Amino acid sequence: MKVVIIGGVAGGATAAARLRRLDEKAEIVVFERSGYVSYANCGLPYYIGGAIADPDALTLQTPESFFSRFRVDMRVRCEALSIDPERKTVRVKNLDTGVEFEEHYDKLLLSPGAKPVRPRLPGAELDRIFTLRTVEDTFRVKEFIRSEKPVSAVLVGGGFIGVELAENLRELGMEVTVVELSQQLMGPFDPDMAAFIHSEMREHGVRLALGRSVAGFERRDGGLEVLLDDGTQISAGMAVLAIGVAPDTELAKSAGLELGLRGSIAVNDRMETSVPDIYAVGDAVQVKHSVTGRDALLSLAGPANKQGRIAADNICGGDSRYQGSQGSSVIKVFGMTAACTGVNESAARASGLDADTVILSPMSHAGYYPGGKLMTMKVVFEKETCRLLGAQIVGYEGVDKRIDVLAAAISAGMDAVRLKDLDLAYAPPYSSAKDPVNMAGFMIENIAKGLVKQFHIEDIPGLPRDGSVTLLDVRTPAEYSLGCIEGFINIPVDELRERLDELERGKPVYAVCQSGLRSYIACRILAGHGFETYNLAGGFRYYSAVVRDRRLTEQASACGMDK
């Protein structure tokens, strides 16, 4: 059996290694149009910033090491031009010599990946404008910074690459502005959770131009002028287009393969395309989202590697199935870690799911052990069934641990209440006896059993201020004096039982504290005395962070830029 693989990164390289482990006699040929195979896309920004010092560390394997260990014929700088499914051949061009040739296959695996979106803007071809997708792209950016020593950069796009590159360029001492079309960075996060990411970026000197788009570029005084849609101009020494990626599927399209979302390659759960003996994996393929069941595109390394393994199994006569993607991801944002899995609240509602959320601010480990740090967790679940839909966490320690537990729970089909029962490791330096994941389960159980009703920050502007409801802040007077929500009176939770006569019976009570815990206790006290109560999800800390972010974004929009 002869297997030809087009694309030698993530999915393609994984498939090649798995094929050899399953079939010692198969002939395996991989064509990769760049000069590198099995390289770490996710590490590219960190090489630019210097966190990864050795360029060789970016490549997990070389053509020589792959052949030595797996006897796989890895041919770099070779671009597949066309596929003839009838004759089972691939037309290939050697990019160094210009020579074209045909390669026969018994089985063909497509792993072409995705290509950076590069809009046709005036001046977009200028030599100070870059994209970041391949090792060669990374070396070009690194060499430009070394030789030209730009003092400022504009990053167009606020996704993973834009945020990671912003951090790494700031580490080099550059002034950095991120221009993002939507009103937030990091689309997989809800806007309220993105507020914490914005705060971390701003605290480290990154300027944010949210809700803006780039209209063009001009060369100016040895640098660039980046022209925004509102007429604002940003002077910069360089710019990086990190707008996103699109499936690289021209080859599949010309071969007559069935296509899906945004021109992606349609595959079944065996990673088979619509054409016999042709498989496809990675960023170029359409997958099922395992939470919503809808078709989706997810450009992540984890799914690509799993798909490569599954395709190899099936090429060798097995019956492996891809269970779908749920978008688990994590990102370092200066000192902060932000992670998510499943669907966020916005996506859940857009998919027609009747979603609710709990928001909590637990410590990363036991409060009595030194060094604990707060994290903010948002867990999304289906109201009627309590099906666990997704989670987002931002914080400084322990974020990756909790998101992985929640990702596993979603994958296992657990309902959200079951989170309370998980037997998770505990020692004071690492966690609490009631882990934050358990706490989320307790909160969801309370909602499911009707022990507490919530209100959300979106509801606050519409709360009556005419005396028909009681707005109650149960923090200490000292906390209250440092900031409160307009219209909320202060009665500390520990004084509440003795001061019940200050609350008019028959009126609903909307309670708030710093994190939501004390106000939950207040709600239970009041419910025990016949009051109808509602607890603010996330508490005042969460509320103030979101409101502050919205105010800063609005101010920046009014004056033209973050200050």
Side-chain angles (χ1 to χ4, degrees):
M1 177 176 64
K2 181 175 181 179
V3 182
V4 170
I5 300 174
I6 298 175
V9 192
T14 294
R18 177 68 171 174
L19 282 164
R20 176 57 70 225
R21 290 194 293 269
L22 295 177
D23 187 340
E24 182 64 20
K25 296 181 179 180
E27 181 182 356
I28 306 168
V29 181
V30 180
F31 295 114
E32 167 57 44
R33 66 183 160 201
S34 78
Y36 300 87
V37 298
S38 190
Y39 59 81
N41 294 76
C42 303
L44 302 183
Y46 298 100
Y47 173 67
I48 291 172
I52 298 173
D54 183 0
D56 292 338
L58 296 173
T59 51
L60 307 178
Q61 294 277 359
T62 65
E64 295 76 19
S65 67
F66 231 103
F67 184 80
S68 176
R69 177 161 297 178
F70 297 110
R71 292 301 187 268
V72 169
D73 184 4
M74 283 276 189
R75 305 186 199 176
V76 296
R77 300 282 298 158
C78 286
E79 181 176 12
L81 302 177
S82 62
I83 302 167
D84 187 336
E86 294 294 327
R87 298 175 52 237
K88 287 194 170 184
T89 59
V90 179
R91 185 121 192 115
V92 183
K93 181 177 181 178
N94 184 311
L95 297 178
D96 291 326
T97 65
V99 173
E100 295 185 14
F101 58 94
E102 277 192 346
E103 194 80 24
H104 170 267
Y105 66 85
D106 296 307
K107 305 286 185 180
L108 177 64
L109 175 63
L110 304 180
S111 182
K115 54 189 176 183
V117 174
R118 187 153 191 159
R120 296 178 180 176
L121 296 172
E125 74 288 346
L126 293 174
D127 57 6
R128 288 177 174 264
I129 301 173
F130 303 87
T131 58
L132 187 62
R133 184 66 180 174
T134 67
V135 174
E136 287 92 343
D137 292 339
T138 309
F139 290 162
R140 280 192 288 270
V141 173
K142 184 83 169 180
E143 174 57 24
F144 179 84
I145 293 172
R146 187 198 65 79
S147 61
E148 300 296 324
K149 297 179 174 55
V151 298
S152 59
V154 170
L155 309 179
V156 185
F160 284 94
I161 292 295
V163 170
E164 290 172 341
L165 198 51
E167 174 185 348
N168 280 278
L169 294 182
R170 283 296 294 154
E171 293 293 337
L172 294 176
M174 296 174 65
E175 297 178 6
V176 177
T177 302
V178 179
V179 180
E180 168 56 47
L181 180 60
S182 76
Q183 292 291 334
Q184 69 168 84
L185 304 176
M186 297 300 297
F189 292 79
D190 283 314
D192 51 354
M193 297 298 285
F196 294 91
I197 299 174
H198 298 168
S199 177
E200 186 76 4
M201 298 280 279
R202 289 175 173 130
E203 285 182 13
H204 285 83
V206 178
R207 300 165 68 191
L208 304 181
L210 304 176
R212 310 288 181 77
S213 63
V214 172
F217 303 90
E218 292 180 356
R219 194 184 301 276
R220 186 77 54 86
D221 299 329
L224 290 173
E225 288 292 325
V226 182
L227 314 177
L228 303 189
D229 55 348
D230 62 354
T232 304
Q233 297 185 8
I234 308 172
S235 298
M238 62 180 292
V240 179
L241 301 179
I243 299 170
V245 294
D248 191 355
T249 56
E250 284 302 316
L251 195 63
K253 181 180 179 181
S254 63
L257 275 63
E258 181 183 342
L259 302 180
L261 291 174
R262 293 174 57 197
S264 59
I265 303 172
V267 294
N268 61 19
D269 60 359
R270 288 170 48 86
M271 309 315 298
E272 295 169 324
T273 71
S274 59
V275 175
D277 297 322
I278 300 181
Y279 298 74
V281 300
D283 295 352
V285 305
Q286 173 181 284
V287 297
K288 291 290 184 185
H289 198 290
S290 58
V291 174
T292 66
R294 294 189 171 190
D295 293 332
L297 294 176
L298 292 170
S299 298
L300 295 168
N305 281 279
K306 294 179 184 71
Q307 292 161 12
R309 178 186 175 91
I310 288 167
D313 287 352
N314 294 324
I315 287 172
C316 291
D319 188 24
S320 292
R321 306 277 174 163
Y322 187 60
Q323 301 300 312
S325 299
Q326 65 187 54
S328 301
S329 58
V330 63
I331 185 171
K332 179 180 180 292
V333 187
F334 294 96
M336 174 180 280
T337 300
C340 62
T341 187
V343 292
N344 62 28
E345 183 183 9
S346 305
R349 295 186 187 280
S351 298
L353 296 169
D354 188 15
D356 199 357
T357 65
V358 291
I359 299 163
L360 57 158
S361 300
M363 295 290 285
S364 56
H365 60 243
Y368 61 84
Y369 188 88
K373 295 183 179 179
L374 279 173
M375 65 178 74
T376 303
M377 296 176 59
K378 182 175 185 178
V379 179
V380 186
F381 61 98
E382 197 168 28
K383 285 183 181 178
E384 184 173 346
T385 66
C386 284
R387 180 166 71 104
L388 190 57
L389 302 176
Q392 303 151 67
I393 312 177
V394 292
Y396 297 91
E397 291 179 3
V399 170
D400 53 343
K401 169 183 174 178
R402 274 68 186 212
I403 205 69
D404 282 343
V405 171
L406 289 161
I410 293 173
S411 181
M414 289 176 53
D415 71 57
V417 174
R418 282 285 317 282
L419 297 176
K420 71 184 178 65
D421 300 319
L422 292 177
D423 191 355
L424 303 175
Y426 159 61
Y430 302 105
S431 184
S432 300
K434 292 183 285 190
D435 188 86
V437 173
N438 297 139
M439 292 300 300
F442 295 145
M443 294 170 68
I444 294 167
E445 181 186 44
N446 287 338
I447 292 170
K449 289 184 173 181
L451 294 177
V452 66
K453 297 176 183 177
Q454 296 188 115
F455 69 107
H456 299 272
I457 59 172
E458 293 79 12
D459 303 319
I460 291 175
L463 291 176
R465 263 69 173 185
D466 59 1
S468 60
V469 301
T470 298
L471 307 179
L472 180 64
D473 189 320
V474 301
R475 296 177 296 159
T476 66
E479 291 174 302
Y480 182 80
S481 68
L482 293 175
C484 62
I485 304 173
E486 181 184 358
F488 279 69
I489 64 170
N490 181 221
I491 301 178
V493 65
D494 293 337
E495 301 176 14
L496 188 56
R497 290 183 180 88
E498 289 71 36
R499 297 174 62 179
L500 287 175
D501 58 350
E502 298 179 31
L503 304 178
E504 187 173 342
R505 294 185 179 276
K507 291 182 180 180
V509 178
Y510 290 81
V512 61
C513 72
Q514 193 70 6
S515 68
L517 176 57
R518 283 174 289 172
S519 51
Y520 163 64
I521 295 170
C523 285
R524 293 309 303 152
I525 292 171
L526 292 171
H529 289 272
F531 288 87
E532 179 186 357
T533 61
Y534 298 86
N535 188 24
L536 177 61
F540 184 79
R541 171 183 172 270
Y542 163 81
Y543 164 84
S544 60
V546 174
V547 169
R548 178 177 181 273
D549 176 66
R550 290 175 179 173
R551 183 177 69 251
L552 289 174
T553 300
E554 289 169 1
Q555 290 174 353
S557 179
C559 69
M561 193 64 58
D562 257 13
K563 296 296 184 184

